[in-house]
Amino acid sequence: MKNILLGVSGGIAAYKSANIISKLKKKGYNVRVIMTKNATEIITPLTLETLARDRVVVDMWEKKYNYDVEHISLADWADLILVAPTTLNIIGKIANGIADDMLTTVISASKAPVYFALAMNVNMYENPILIENITKLKKFGYNFIESDEGFLACNVNAKGRLKDEEEIVKIVENHFTKENFLIGKKILITAGPTEERLDPIRFLSNHSTGKMGYAIAKKCVEFGAEVILISGPTNLENQNNIETIRVKSALEMYDECLKHFSKIDIFISTAAVADYRPKVTSDKKIKKSEGNLIIELERNPDILLEMSKLKEHQKLIGFCAESENLIENAMGKLKRKNLDFIVANSVEYFSKDNNKVFIISKDESIKELEEMPKEYLAEFIVKSIVK
Ligand code: C5P
């Protein structure tokens, strides 16, 4: 059974950690507990160690009678670290590389996935420093369990309440079940726009932030896949555990896809590839002159279509954005490009944080998903495809 290291920091909700331990134990997990010194003012180590049936660790310097370096052995032992409740202080320390007690030292020394279940006063919750620290930690792959809204210890009804213990345990369980389903799979994803150079300062391109493709890449990694992301120019940063290859033009993106296609299991094409490129590219800035300028364009390869011609065992997933006849057009592309799935959305969601899509599969079944942030949508899309 999996090993859960529960960190308990000094918020009033620390008393709820007893319930979390009890629920985890009932599910059969091995649980060890680290408390911060402040947490011991709220609930005693004795309560938690009785429930965990193991010594609770608080002090880095406590005398003990084996010679393991405890922060290293705990960091290695954990299959998952859950910090519940997590205070603003813990987030601030981890985000800034401070490890001045057992809990922050173990988290910093561990390669296990970490889930921070936030609980604090609403003003602290909205503190921009906390928000910035969370954003930073998310980039490094730390997971967050948002607080619920409810009656807080500080006598107001607001956001900041530790998520229900049952829900927290469910998130831990989901982590282990979902962890597996893409293990051993290699996935190639294209994302963002392409830039088709006209001269040293001008290019043709499409509107695309790359957010959908990056979110899908992140989810695939979370579900255990090995991901290669071929990205056109975006403002998004590379993420841990995702091999990101930056390209500019459709031809460069095509070349990279060709290099990797034979080794992969799934190809997900979210990129807004420019269909045409200028036939002639000038090394010097094109000077304006009287009258109109006519630029001759030539077709770029349809990367997805080309990959479909090479298809052996690979599954192909395309995206399409349409301004009219969404389903009809998407169905046509699904057939023409010999896809397993196509994810169709209307152009009105271009460059937005939210999206609303239909997933159409080879057998022509259509699944309509609710409008939601691209980050969440990615999970639904990946799960629907895998199922
Ligand atoms: O442009 P279209 O609507 O046909 O795009 C549908 C799918 O084809 C998308 O998944 C897109 O990433 C892919 N595509 C491509 N190369 C192109 C045009 C589109 O891979 N030149």
Side-chain angles (χ1 to χ4, degrees), residues 35-37 58 60 90 93 99-106:
M35 297 176 78
T36 62
K37 188 126 196 7
V58 181
M60 288 280 288
I90 294 288
K93 286 203 250 181
D100 64 352
D101 62 4
M102 193 54 136
L103 181 57
T104 49
T105 305
V106 169

Side-chain angles (χ1 to χ4, degrees), residues 122-136:
V122 63
N123 292 338
M124 289 171 109
Y125 205 85
E126 288 168 359
N127 184 321
I129 299 173
L130 175 81
I131 294 168
E132 195 174 295
N133 284 335
I134 291 177
T135 310
K136 180 173 174 186

Side-chain angles (χ1 to χ4, degrees), residues 266-277:
I266 303 174
F267 180 57
I268 307 181
S269 177
T270 73
V273 185
D275 290 320
Y276 296 92
R277 63 176 180 272

Side-chain angles (χ1 to χ4, degrees), residues 86-156:
T86 307
T87 55
L88 174 139
N89 185 43
I90 294 288
I91 297 298
K93 286 203 250 181
I94 300 296
N96 291 287
I98 298 169
D100 64 352
D101 62 4
M102 193 54 136
L103 181 57
T104 49
T105 305
V106 169
I107 295 171
S108 308
S110 181
K111 289 217 156 81
V114 179
Y115 282 76
F116 290 116
L118 302 166
M120 62 196 74
N121 155 278
V122 63
N123 292 338
M124 289 171 109
Y125 205 85
E126 288 168 359
N127 184 321
I129 299 173
L130 175 81
I131 294 168
E132 195 174 295
N133 284 335
I134 291 177
T135 310
K136 180 173 174 186
L137 288 174
K138 277 187 179 166
K139 268 191 234 149
F140 291 117
Y142 288 90
N143 305 288
F144 286 83
I145 303 174
E146 294 284 330
S147 299
D148 282 339
E149 220 172 284
F151 192 70
L152 305 182
C154 42
N155 229 355
V156 288

